[in-house]
Amino acid sequence: MEMRYTVPKEMPRGTHYGNNYWMVPSAKMNRFVTAFSNLEYYNIIMLEMSAKVEGYCEQPCELVVPVSEADLKEKEKELQKKTEDEEKHVIPDVYVLYKDGTEEIQEVKYLSELNKDDEKGERSRRQIKFEKQWCLEHGLRFALRTDELLIPNNYLISNLAFMHARVYREGTFLNNDALRRLQIAFETGRKKVTVRDLTGILGLSIADCWTVVSNLYYHGLLSLDMDGLLNQYTEVHLNGDKKV
């Protein structure tokens, strides 16, 4: 299945939420991806390193959602009179295509912003309502990505960014030789394997072992503990039954 959106809409930096602007080199999309806040950057890193994601596009399109008379009365009482056929224009944060063919629109927001009892909070809640409605009408899934999801601990993003840098630098081509050697190690009765153990199993330096770990994690073939800072004693585990 081809991606519905591949070219991001141009967004003036000064008009978007957030003071932190990122240009992220994307291994998945083979271009630089733009994030307009730290939280959007965290989301991009998670998409980059997810084996379930085929591709994605930031600021993918402008959604046009009809606004009903009831909605107008609820949220625009103090403003000028609106008509029943007024339209709301919204640009979502990310479009995602998953490898199973599922398409998703993502909105990235801080919970504190969503819960604010002011115009900014109300505007954010309206935006999410508009996007949900549009997705329902166009056959896409909607996902709200908050800091509660994207920052579950102090280490996840820094660990993913550490591995992503290696995947981007070395390429995304699956390292089948390393996978085969690791499979043999587990098949011969090893209960656990640390990154340090990989230096003997693979005959590589610690730095090169981290490149292998990052590559296999990117392809969803290996998992490791993300609750602490990655180091040479981090244990790795093979996923699934892929044989090479």
Side-chain angles (χ1 to χ4, degrees):
M1 182 175 181
E2 293 186 359
M3 289 180 58
R4 190 180 306 208
Y5 305 105
T6 58
V7 180
K9 302 285 288 185
E10 289 190 14
M11 293 286 292
R13 178 175 173 180
T15 62
H16 198 278
Y17 172 77
N19 297 319
N20 298 289
Y21 181 83
W22 296 81
M23 292 292 290
V24 184
S26 171
K28 270 190 166 61
M29 304 312 300
N30 196 31
R31 63 175 174 84
F32 280 89
V33 172
T34 303
F36 290 88
S37 71
N38 284 345
L39 201 61
E40 288 186 19
Y41 165 72
Y42 302 155
N43 191 51
I44 292 298
I45 288 297
M46 290 188 75
L47 293 174
E48 279 285 312
M49 293 303 292
S50 172
K52 296 180 180 180
V53 173
E54 179 67 28
Y56 64 92
C57 181
E58 78 281 22
Q59 318 295 333
C61 57
E62 186 173 39
L63 313 185
V64 181
V65 184
V67 180
S68 70
E69 185 67 24
D71 288 334
L72 292 171
K73 289 179 180 178
E74 176 184 343
K75 64 185 172 48
E76 304 285 5
K77 290 180 181 179
E78 75 284 4
L79 299 179
Q80 61 185 12
K81 186 177 180 180
K82 305 287 183 177
T83 59
E84 201 166 320
D85 62 349
E86 180 185 349
E87 295 175 328
K88 176 69 177 180
H89 295 252
V90 172
I91 296 179
D93 288 323
V94 190
Y95 159 81
V96 182
L97 174 64
Y98 291 92
K99 290 185 177 178
D100 65 2
T102 301
E103 294 178 284
E104 182 175 85
I105 290 293
Q106 296 184 349
E107 188 60 35
V108 181
K109 296 288 186 188
Y110 286 94
L111 278 175
S112 58
E113 177 188 345
L114 288 173
N115 294 331
K116 280 184 177 179
D117 188 21
D118 59 12
E119 175 55 29
K120 189 173 186 178
E122 178 61 25
R123 186 169 62 249
S124 293
R125 291 187 290 273
R126 288 201 305 264
Q127 180 180 353
I128 290 169
K129 179 180 178 180
F130 294 140
E131 291 182 18
K132 284 182 177 179
Q133 179 183 338
W134 187 92
C135 288
L136 184 63
E137 294 173 354
H138 291 80
L140 284 80
R141 189 168 66 184
F142 176 82
L144 176 61
R145 310 272 283 180
T146 68
D147 43 322
E148 189 175 69
L149 170 70
L150 298 173
I151 321 175
N153 59 56
N154 294 327
Y155 304 103
L156 176 62
I157 298 301
S158 59
N159 288 340
L160 290 176
F162 171 79
M163 292 192 292
H164 172 255
R166 281 151 182 76
V167 170
Y168 179 76
R169 184 176 64 242
E170 301 297 330
T172 60
F173 185 76
L174 176 61
N175 191 327
N176 281 310
D177 180 64
L179 176 60
R180 179 181 58 80
R181 289 170 182 255
L182 196 51
Q183 286 171 338
I184 292 173
F186 278 103
E187 288 170 356
T188 54
R190 295 190 76 120
K191 299 298 182 183
K192 66 178 182 179
V193 172
T194 66
V195 175
R196 186 177 184 180
D197 293 332
L198 290 180
T199 61
I201 295 171
L202 302 177
L204 299 172
S205 67
I206 284 287
D208 288 339
C209 284
W210 272 119
T211 297
V212 169
V213 168
S214 302
N215 177 274
L216 296 182
Y217 182 94
Y218 177 86
H219 288 283
L221 299 173
L222 179 148
S223 60
L224 55 163
D225 180 17
M226 291 291 195
D227 292 333
L229 191 64
L230 297 180
N231 58 68
Q232 63 179 326
Y233 299 108
T234 298
E235 293 182 19
V236 302
H237 306 275
L238 288 178
N239 300 332
D241 56 358
K242 178 179 173 62
K243 299 295 183 180
V244 294

Short mmCIF file of all heavy atoms in Angstrom, two decimals, residues 108-165:
data_model
loop_
_atom_site.label_atom_id
_atom_site.label_comp_id
_atom_site.label_asym_id
_atom_site.label_seq_id
_atom_site.Cartn_x
_atom_site.Cartn_y
_atom_site.Cartn_z
N VAL A 108 -0.10 15.56 18.32
CA VAL A 108 0.84 15.51 19.44
C VAL A 108 0.59 16.70 20.36
O VAL A 108 0.73 17.85 19.94
CB VAL A 108 2.29 15.54 18.92
CG1 VAL A 108 3.28 15.47 20.07
CG2 VAL A 108 2.52 14.39 17.93
N LYS A 109 0.21 16.41 21.60
CA LYS A 109 -0.13 17.49 22.54
C LYS A 109 0.35 17.15 23.95
O LYS A 109 0.34 15.99 24.36
CB LYS A 109 -1.65 17.67 22.61
CG LYS A 109 -2.33 18.15 21.33
CD LYS A 109 -2.02 19.60 21.02
CE LYS A 109 -2.83 20.08 19.82
NZ LYS A 109 -2.40 21.43 19.38
N TYR A 110 0.74 18.18 24.68
CA TYR A 110 1.00 18.03 26.11
C TYR A 110 -0.32 17.94 26.85
O TYR A 110 -1.26 18.69 26.56
CB TYR A 110 1.81 19.20 26.64
CG TYR A 110 3.27 19.19 26.24
CD1 TYR A 110 3.71 19.88 25.12
CD2 TYR A 110 4.21 18.48 27.00
CE1 TYR A 110 5.05 19.88 24.74
CE2 TYR A 110 5.55 18.48 26.63
CZ TYR A 110 5.96 19.17 25.51
OH TYR A 110 7.28 19.17 25.14
N LEU A 111 -0.41 17.04 27.82
CA LEU A 111 -1.64 16.90 28.60
C LEU A 111 -1.99 18.21 29.32
O LEU A 111 -3.16 18.56 29.44
CB LEU A 111 -1.48 15.77 29.63
CG LEU A 111 -1.71 14.35 29.11
CD1 LEU A 111 -1.40 13.34 30.22
CD2 LEU A 111 -3.14 14.18 28.63
N SER A 112 -0.96 18.91 29.78
CA SER A 112 -1.20 20.16 30.49
C SER A 112 -1.90 21.17 29.59
O SER A 112 -2.74 21.96 30.05
CB SER A 112 0.11 20.74 31.01
OG SER A 112 1.03 20.95 29.93
N GLU A 113 -1.56 21.16 28.29
CA GLU A 113 -2.22 22.07 27.35
C GLU A 113 -3.67 21.67 27.13
O GLU A 113 -4.56 22.52 27.11
CB GLU A 113 -1.47 22.06 26.02
CG GLU A 113 -2.12 22.94 24.95
CD GLU A 113 -1.48 22.77 23.59
OE1 GLU A 113 -0.37 22.21 23.50
OE2 GLU A 113 -2.10 23.21 22.60
N LEU A 114 -3.90 20.37 26.98
CA LEU A 114 -5.26 19.89 26.75
C LEU A 114 -6.18 20.17 27.92
O LEU A 114 -7.38 20.38 27.75
CB LEU A 114 -5.24 18.39 26.46
CG LEU A 114 -4.68 17.95 25.11
CD1 LEU A 114 -4.58 16.44 25.06
CD2 LEU A 114 -5.55 18.46 23.97
N ASN A 115 -5.62 20.15 29.12
CA ASN A 115 -6.44 20.29 30.33
C ASN A 115 -6.60 21.74 30.79
O ASN A 115 -7.30 22.00 31.78
CB ASN A 115 -5.82 19.46 31.46
CG ASN A 115 -5.87 17.97 31.17
OD1 ASN A 115 -6.77 17.50 30.47
ND2 ASN A 115 -4.91 17.22 31.70
N LYS A 116 -5.98 22.67 30.09
CA LYS A 116 -6.08 24.07 30.49
C LYS A 116 -7.50 24.59 30.34
O LYS A 116 -8.16 24.34 29.33
CB LYS A 116 -5.13 24.93 29.67
CG LYS A 116 -3.68 24.89 30.13
CD LYS A 116 -2.83 25.86 29.32
CE LYS A 116 -1.39 25.87 29.83
NZ LYS A 116 -0.55 26.79 29.04
N ASP A 117 -7.94 25.34 31.31
CA ASP A 117 -9.27 25.94 31.27
C ASP A 117 -9.16 27.37 30.72
O ASP A 117 -9.49 28.34 31.39
CB ASP A 117 -9.89 25.94 32.68
CG ASP A 117 -11.35 26.38 32.64
OD1 ASP A 117 -11.98 26.29 31.57
OD2 ASP A 117 -11.85 26.82 33.70
N ASP A 118 -8.66 27.47 29.50
CA ASP A 118 -8.52 28.77 28.87
C ASP A 118 -8.73 28.60 27.37
O ASP A 118 -9.03 27.51 26.88
CB ASP A 118 -7.16 29.41 29.18
CG ASP A 118 -5.98 28.54 28.73
OD1 ASP A 118 -6.20 27.57 27.96
OD2 ASP A 118 -4.84 28.83 29.12
N GLU A 119 -8.57 29.67 26.60
CA GLU A 119 -8.81 29.62 25.17
C GLU A 119 -7.86 28.66 24.46
O GLU A 119 -8.25 27.96 23.53
CB GLU A 119 -8.69 31.02 24.57
CG GLU A 119 -8.83 31.08 23.04
CD GLU A 119 -10.12 30.44 22.52
OE1 GLU A 119 -11.14 30.46 23.25
OE2 GLU A 119 -10.11 29.92 21.39
N LYS A 120 -6.61 28.61 24.92
CA LYS A 120 -5.63 27.72 24.29
C LYS A 120 -6.04 26.26 24.47
O LYS A 120 -5.97 25.46 23.53
CB LYS A 120 -4.25 27.95 24.89
CG LYS A 120 -3.14 27.23 24.15
CD LYS A 120 -1.78 27.65 24.69
CE LYS A 120 -0.65 27.05 23.88
NZ LYS A 120 0.68 27.49 24.37
N GLY A 121 -6.48 25.92 25.67
CA GLY A 121 -6.92 24.56 25.92
C GLY A 121 -8.18 24.22 25.14
O GLY A 121 -8.30 23.13 24.58
N GLU A 122 -9.10 25.17 25.08
CA GLU A 122 -10.34 24.95 24.33
C GLU A 122 -10.05 24.80 22.84
O GLU A 122 -10.64 23.95 22.17
CB GLU A 122 -11.29 26.14 24.56
CG GLU A 122 -12.60 26.05 23.79
CD GLU A 122 -13.43 24.83 24.16
OE1 GLU A 122 -13.26 24.33 25.29
OE2 GLU A 122 -14.22 24.39 23.32
N ARG A 123 -9.12 25.58 22.33
CA ARG A 123 -8.74 25.49 20.92
C ARG A 123 -8.14 24.12 20.60
O ARG A 123 -8.42 23.52 19.56
CB ARG A 123 -7.77 26.61 20.57
CG ARG A 123 -7.43 26.68 19.08
CD ARG A 123 -6.70 27.97 18.74
NE ARG A 123 -5.44 28.08 19.43
CZ ARG A 123 -5.17 28.97 20.39
NH1 ARG A 123 -6.11 29.82 20.78
NH2 ARG A 123 -3.99 29.01 20.97
N SER A 124 -7.30 23.62 21.51
CA SER A 124 -6.69 22.31 21.30
C SER A 124 -7.74 21.20 21.32
O SER A 124 -7.69 20.27 20.52
CB SER A 124 -5.64 22.04 22.39
OG SER A 124 -4.54 22.92 22.27
N ARG A 125 -8.68 21.31 22.23
CA ARG A 125 -9.73 20.29 22.31
C ARG A 125 -10.63 20.32 21.08
O ARG A 125 -11.06 19.27 20.57
CB ARG A 125 -10.55 20.48 23.60
CG ARG A 125 -9.76 20.15 24.87
CD ARG A 125 -10.63 20.17 26.10
NE ARG A 125 -11.08 21.50 26.48
CZ ARG A 125 -10.39 22.33 27.27
NH1 ARG A 125 -9.20 21.97 27.74
NH2 ARG A 125 -10.87 23.53 27.59
N ARG A 126 -10.90 21.52 20.56
CA ARG A 126 -11.69 21.63 19.34
C ARG A 126 -10.95 21.01 18.16
O ARG A 126 -11.53 20.31 17.32
CB ARG A 126 -12.01 23.10 19.03
CG ARG A 126 -13.03 23.74 19.96
CD ARG A 126 -13.66 24.97 19.30
NE ARG A 126 -12.67 25.94 18.85
CZ ARG A 126 -12.29 27.00 19.56
NH1 ARG A 126 -12.79 27.20 20.78
NH2 ARG A 126 -11.42 27.85 19.07
N GLN A 127 -9.63 21.27 18.11
CA GLN A 127 -8.83 20.73 17.01
C GLN A 127 -8.89 19.21 16.99
O GLN A 127 -9.05 18.59 15.92
CB GLN A 127 -7.37 21.19 17.14
CG GLN A 127 -6.47 20.66 16.03
CD GLN A 127 -5.04 21.12 16.18
OE1 GLN A 127 -4.72 21.94 17.05
NE2 GLN A 127 -4.15 20.61 15.35
N ILE A 128 -8.76 18.59 18.14
CA ILE A 128 -8.81 17.13 18.23
C ILE A 128 -10.17 16.62 17.79
O ILE A 128 -10.29 15.63 17.07
CB ILE A 128 -8.49 16.68 19.66
CG1 ILE A 128 -7.00 16.93 19.95
CG2 ILE A 128 -8.83 15.20 19.87
CD1 ILE A 128 -6.62 16.77 21.38
N LYS A 129 -11.22 17.33 18.18
CA LYS A 129 -12.57 16.95 17.78
C LYS A 129 -12.70 17.01 16.25
O LYS A 129 -13.27 16.10 15.63
CB LYS A 129 -13.59 17.88 18.44
CG LYS A 129 -15.03 17.58 18.07
CD LYS A 129 -15.98 18.55 18.78
CE LYS A 129 -17.42 18.28 18.38
NZ LYS A 129 -18.35 19.22 19.05
N PHE A 130 -12.18 18.06 15.65
CA PHE A 130 -12.24 18.21 14.19
C PHE A 130 -11.49 17.07 13.50
O PHE A 130 -11.97 16.49 12.52
CB PHE A 130 -11.62 19.55 13.76
CG PHE A 130 -12.40 20.74 14.21
CD1 PHE A 130 -11.73 21.87 14.67
CD2 PHE A 130 -13.78 20.76 14.16
CE1 PHE A 130 -12.43 23.00 15.08
CE2 PHE A 130 -14.49 21.87 14.56
CZ PHE A 130 -13.82 22.99 15.03
N GLU A 131 -10.30 16.76 14.00
CA GLU A 131 -9.48 15.73 13.37
C GLU A 131 -10.13 14.35 13.49
O GLU A 131 -10.10 13.55 12.55
CB GLU A 131 -8.08 15.73 13.98
CG GLU A 131 -7.29 16.97 13.60
CD GLU A 131 -5.88 16.96 14.16
OE1 GLU A 131 -5.39 15.88 14.54
OE2 GLU A 131 -5.26 18.05 14.22
N LYS A 132 -10.72 14.05 14.64
CA LYS A 132 -11.43 12.78 14.82
C LYS A 132 -12.57 12.66 13.82
O LYS A 132 -12.79 11.61 13.22
CB LYS A 132 -11.96 12.68 16.25
CG LYS A 132 -10.92 12.35 17.29
CD LYS A 132 -11.57 12.21 18.66
CE LYS A 132 -10.56 11.80 19.71
NZ LYS A 132 -11.19 11.69 21.06
N GLN A 133 -13.30 13.76 13.65
CA GLN A 133 -14.42 13.75 12.72
C GLN A 133 -13.94 13.52 11.29
O GLN A 133 -14.51 12.71 10.54
CB GLN A 133 -15.18 15.08 12.81
CG GLN A 133 -16.37 15.17 11.85
CD GLN A 133 -17.05 16.54 11.91
OE1 GLN A 133 -16.93 17.25 12.91
NE2 GLN A 133 -17.75 16.90 10.85
N TRP A 134 -12.87 14.20 10.91
CA TRP A 134 -12.34 14.06 9.56
C TRP A 134 -11.86 12.63 9.32
O TRP A 134 -12.12 12.04 8.26
CB TRP A 134 -11.20 15.05 9.34
CG TRP A 134 -10.70 15.09 7.93
CD1 TRP A 134 -11.13 15.91 6.92
CD2 TRP A 134 -9.68 14.25 7.35
NE1 TRP A 134 -10.44 15.65 5.77
CE2 TRP A 134 -9.54 14.63 5.99
CE3 TRP A 134 -8.88 13.24 7.85
CZ2 TRP A 134 -8.64 14.02 5.13
CZ3 TRP A 134 -7.97 12.62 6.99
CH2 TRP A 134 -7.86 13.02 5.66
N CYS A 135 -11.14 12.06 10.27
CA CYS A 135 -10.63 10.69 10.14
C CYS A 135 -11.77 9.69 9.99
O CYS A 135 -11.70 8.75 9.19
CB CYS A 135 -9.77 10.32 11.35
SG CYS A 135 -8.16 11.15 11.38
N LEU A 136 -12.82 9.90 10.76
CA LEU A 136 -13.98 9.02 10.68
C LEU A 136 -14.60 9.06 9.29
O LEU A 136 -14.99 8.03 8.73
CB LEU A 136 -15.02 9.44 11.73
CG LEU A 136 -16.27 8.56 11.85
CD1 LEU A 136 -15.90 7.15 12.28
CD2 LEU A 136 -17.26 9.18 12.84
N GLU A 137 -14.65 10.25 8.71
CA GLU A 137 -15.26 10.42 7.39
C GLU A 137 -14.37 9.92 6.25
O GLU A 137 -14.87 9.63 5.16
CB GLU A 137 -15.60 11.90 7.17
CG GLU A 137 -16.69 12.42 8.10
CD GLU A 137 -16.89 13.92 7.97
OE1 GLU A 137 -16.08 14.56 7.24
OE2 GLU A 137 -17.80 14.45 8.61
N HIS A 138 -13.07 9.81 6.51
CA HIS A 138 -12.13 9.45 5.43
C HIS A 138 -11.45 8.10 5.65
O HIS A 138 -10.50 7.76 4.94
CB HIS A 138 -11.07 10.55 5.27
CG HIS A 138 -11.62 11.82 4.70
ND1 HIS A 138 -12.31 12.74 5.48
CD2 HIS A 138 -11.62 12.32 3.43
CE1 HIS A 138 -12.69 13.75 4.72
NE2 HIS A 138 -12.29 13.53 3.48
N GLY A 139 -11.90 7.33 6.61
CA GLY A 139 -11.41 5.97 6.79
C GLY A 139 -10.02 5.84 7.36
O GLY A 139 -9.31 4.86 7.08
N LEU A 140 -9.59 6.80 8.17
CA LEU A 140 -8.29 6.72 8.83
C LEU A 140 -8.49 6.61 10.34
O LEU A 140 -9.51 7.05 10.88
CB LEU A 140 -7.43 7.95 8.54
CG LEU A 140 -6.76 8.04 7.17
CD1 LEU A 140 -7.74 8.52 6.12
CD2 LEU A 140 -5.54 8.95 7.23
N ARG A 141 -7.52 6.03 10.99
CA ARG A 141 -7.55 5.97 12.45
C ARG A 141 -6.99 7.27 13.02
O ARG A 141 -6.14 7.91 12.39
CB ARG A 141 -6.70 4.77 12.91
CG ARG A 141 -6.81 4.44 14.39
CD ARG A 141 -6.16 3.08 14.65
NE ARG A 141 -4.72 3.12 14.42
CZ ARG A 141 -3.93 2.06 14.51
NH1 ARG A 141 -4.47 0.86 14.76
NH2 ARG A 141 -2.63 2.16 14.31
N PHE A 142 -7.46 7.67 14.18
CA PHE A 142 -6.93 8.87 14.85
C PHE A 142 -6.24 8.46 16.15
O PHE A 142 -6.73 7.60 16.87
CB PHE A 142 -8.04 9.87 15.15
CG PHE A 142 -7.55 11.07 15.92
CD1 PHE A 142 -6.95 12.13 15.26
CD2 PHE A 142 -7.68 11.13 17.30
CE1 PHE A 142 -6.46 13.23 15.96
CE2 PHE A 142 -7.21 12.22 18.02
CZ PHE A 142 -6.60 13.28 17.34
N ALA A 143 -5.10 9.10 16.43
CA ALA A 143 -4.39 8.83 17.68
C ALA A 143 -3.90 10.13 18.30
O ALA A 143 -3.31 10.98 17.61
CB ALA A 143 -3.20 7.90 17.43
N LEU A 144 -4.17 10.30 19.57
CA LEU A 144 -3.66 11.44 20.33
C LEU A 144 -2.39 10.98 21.05
O LEU A 144 -2.42 10.04 21.84
CB LEU A 144 -4.70 11.91 21.35
CG LEU A 144 -4.27 13.03 22.30
CD1 LEU A 144 -3.90 14.29 21.52
CD2 LEU A 144 -5.37 13.32 23.31
N ARG A 145 -1.28 11.64 20.76
CA ARG A 145 0.02 11.25 21.33
C ARG A 145 0.43 12.32 22.34
O ARG A 145 0.81 13.44 21.97
CB ARG A 145 1.06 11.15 20.21
CG ARG A 145 0.63 10.31 19.02
CD ARG A 145 0.96 8.88 19.18
NE ARG A 145 2.37 8.63 18.94
CZ ARG A 145 2.93 7.42 19.03
NH1 ARG A 145 2.20 6.38 19.36
NH2 ARG A 145 4.22 7.26 18.79
N THR A 146 0.35 11.99 23.61
CA THR A 146 0.65 12.95 24.67
C THR A 146 1.99 12.63 25.32
O THR A 146 2.59 11.58 25.07
CB THR A 146 -0.43 12.91 25.76
OG1 THR A 146 -0.38 11.66 26.45
CG2 THR A 146 -1.82 13.10 25.15
N ASP A 147 2.46 13.54 26.18
CA ASP A 147 3.71 13.32 26.89
C ASP A 147 3.62 12.09 27.80
O ASP A 147 4.64 11.45 28.07
CB ASP A 147 4.11 14.55 27.70
CG ASP A 147 2.96 15.19 28.44
OD1 ASP A 147 1.84 15.23 27.89
OD2 ASP A 147 3.16 15.68 29.57
N GLU A 148 2.44 11.73 28.25
CA GLU A 148 2.27 10.54 29.09
C GLU A 148 2.68 9.29 28.31
O GLU A 148 3.26 8.35 28.87
CB GLU A 148 0.81 10.42 29.53
CG GLU A 148 0.56 9.34 30.57
CD GLU A 148 -0.88 9.36 31.05
OE1 GLU A 148 -1.77 9.02 30.26
OE2 GLU A 148 -1.11 9.71 32.22
N LEU A 149 2.39 9.26 27.03
CA LEU A 149 2.76 8.13 26.17
C LEU A 149 4.20 8.24 25.69
O LEU A 149 4.95 7.25 25.69
CB LEU A 149 1.83 8.07 24.95
CG LEU A 149 2.22 7.10 23.83
CD1 LEU A 149 2.04 5.66 24.31
CD2 LEU A 149 1.40 7.36 22.58
N LEU A 150 4.61 9.43 25.29
CA LEU A 150 5.91 9.61 24.64
C LEU A 150 7.07 9.70 25.63
O LEU A 150 8.22 9.48 25.25
CB LEU A 150 5.88 10.86 23.76
CG LEU A 150 4.87 10.83 22.61
CD1 LEU A 150 4.80 12.18 21.91
CD2 LEU A 150 5.23 9.73 21.61
N ILE A 151 6.79 10.05 26.88
CA ILE A 151 7.86 10.16 27.87
C ILE A 151 7.49 9.31 29.09
O ILE A 151 7.26 9.84 30.19
CB ILE A 151 8.10 11.62 28.29
CG1 ILE A 151 8.00 12.57 27.09
CG2 ILE A 151 9.48 11.78 28.94
CD1 ILE A 151 8.10 14.02 27.44
N PRO A 152 7.43 7.98 28.94
CA PRO A 152 7.05 7.12 30.07
C PRO A 152 8.12 7.04 31.15
O PRO A 152 7.84 6.69 32.29
CB PRO A 152 6.81 5.75 29.41
CG PRO A 152 7.72 5.78 28.21
CD PRO A 152 7.69 7.20 27.72
N ASN A 153 9.38 7.32 30.78
CA ASN A 153 10.47 7.34 31.76
C ASN A 153 11.55 8.30 31.27
O ASN A 153 11.40 8.93 30.22
CB ASN A 153 11.05 5.93 31.98
CG ASN A 153 11.58 5.31 30.70
OD1 ASN A 153 12.44 5.88 30.03
ND2 ASN A 153 11.07 4.13 30.34
N ASN A 154 12.62 8.41 32.03
CA ASN A 154 13.66 9.39 31.71
C ASN A 154 14.63 8.94 30.63
O ASN A 154 15.50 9.71 30.22
CB ASN A 154 14.46 9.73 32.98
CG ASN A 154 13.62 10.45 34.01
OD1 ASN A 154 12.72 11.22 33.66
ND2 ASN A 154 13.89 10.20 35.29
N TYR A 155 14.49 7.68 30.16
CA TYR A 155 15.52 7.13 29.30
C TYR A 155 15.06 6.73 27.91
O TYR A 155 15.88 6.61 26.99
CB TYR A 155 16.14 5.89 29.97
CG TYR A 155 16.70 6.17 31.34
CD1 TYR A 155 16.02 5.78 32.49
CD2 TYR A 155 17.91 6.84 31.49
CE1 TYR A 155 16.54 6.04 33.75
CE2 TYR A 155 18.43 7.12 32.74
CZ TYR A 155 17.75 6.71 33.88
OH TYR A 155 18.25 6.98 35.11
N LEU A 156 13.77 6.51 27.72
CA LEU A 156 13.28 5.94 26.46
C LEU A 156 13.74 6.74 25.24
O LEU A 156 14.32 6.18 24.30
CB LEU A 156 11.76 5.83 26.47
CG LEU A 156 11.13 5.32 25.16
CD1 LEU A 156 11.61 3.91 24.86
CD2 LEU A 156 9.62 5.38 25.23
N ILE A 157 13.48 8.03 25.23
CA ILE A 157 13.79 8.84 24.04
C ILE A 157 15.29 8.92 23.80
O ILE A 157 15.75 8.79 22.65
CB ILE A 157 13.18 10.24 24.17
CG1 ILE A 157 11.65 10.15 24.26
CG2 ILE A 157 13.61 11.11 22.99
CD1 ILE A 157 11.00 9.47 23.07
N SER A 158 16.07 9.11 24.85
CA SER A 158 17.53 9.19 24.65
C SER A 158 18.07 7.86 24.15
O SER A 158 18.98 7.83 23.31
CB SER A 158 18.23 9.61 25.95
OG SER A 158 17.96 8.68 27.00
N ASN A 159 17.51 6.73 24.62
CA ASN A 159 17.93 5.41 24.14
C ASN A 159 17.58 5.23 22.66
O ASN A 159 18.39 4.75 21.87
CB ASN A 159 17.27 4.31 24.96
CG ASN A 159 17.85 4.21 26.37
OD1 ASN A 159 18.95 4.68 26.64
ND2 ASN A 159 17.11 3.59 27.27
N LEU A 160 16.35 5.61 22.30
CA LEU A 160 15.93 5.49 20.91
C LEU A 160 16.75 6.40 20.00
O LEU A 160 17.12 6.01 18.89
CB LEU A 160 14.44 5.81 20.78
CG LEU A 160 13.45 4.81 21.38
CD1 LEU A 160 12.02 5.33 21.25
CD2 LEU A 160 13.58 3.45 20.71
N ALA A 161 17.02 7.60 20.46
CA ALA A 161 17.82 8.54 19.67
C ALA A 161 19.24 8.02 19.47
O ALA A 161 19.83 8.17 18.39
CB ALA A 161 17.84 9.91 20.33
N PHE A 162 19.79 7.40 20.51
CA PHE A 162 21.13 6.80 20.45
C PHE A 162 21.18 5.72 19.36
O PHE A 162 22.10 5.69 18.53
CB PHE A 162 21.44 6.19 21.82
CG PHE A 162 22.68 5.34 21.88
CD1 PHE A 162 23.94 5.92 21.97
CD2 PHE A 162 22.59 3.95 21.87
CE1 PHE A 162 25.09 5.14 22.02
CE2 PHE A 162 23.72 3.16 21.92
CZ PHE A 162 24.98 3.75 22.00
N MET A 163 20.16 4.85 19.32
CA MET A 163 20.13 3.79 18.32
C MET A 163 19.77 4.32 16.93
O MET A 163 20.31 3.87 15.92
CB MET A 163 19.15 2.70 18.76
CG MET A 163 19.61 1.93 19.99
SD MET A 163 18.64 0.43 20.28
CE MET A 163 17.05 1.14 20.72
N HIS A 164 18.88 5.30 16.90
CA HIS A 164 18.47 5.88 15.61
C HIS A 164 19.66 6.49 14.87
O HIS A 164 19.78 6.38 13.65
CB HIS A 164 17.38 6.92 15.83
CG HIS A 164 17.04 7.68 14.58
ND1 HIS A 164 17.44 8.99 14.37
CD2 HIS A 164 16.35 7.32 13.48
CE1 HIS A 164 17.01 9.38 13.19
NE2 HIS A 164 16.35 8.41 12.62
N ALA A 165 20.55 7.14 15.60
CA ALA A 165 21.73 7.75 14.98
C ALA A 165 22.57 6.70 14.27
O ALA A 165 23.11 6.94 13.18
CB ALA A 165 22.56 8.47 16.03
#
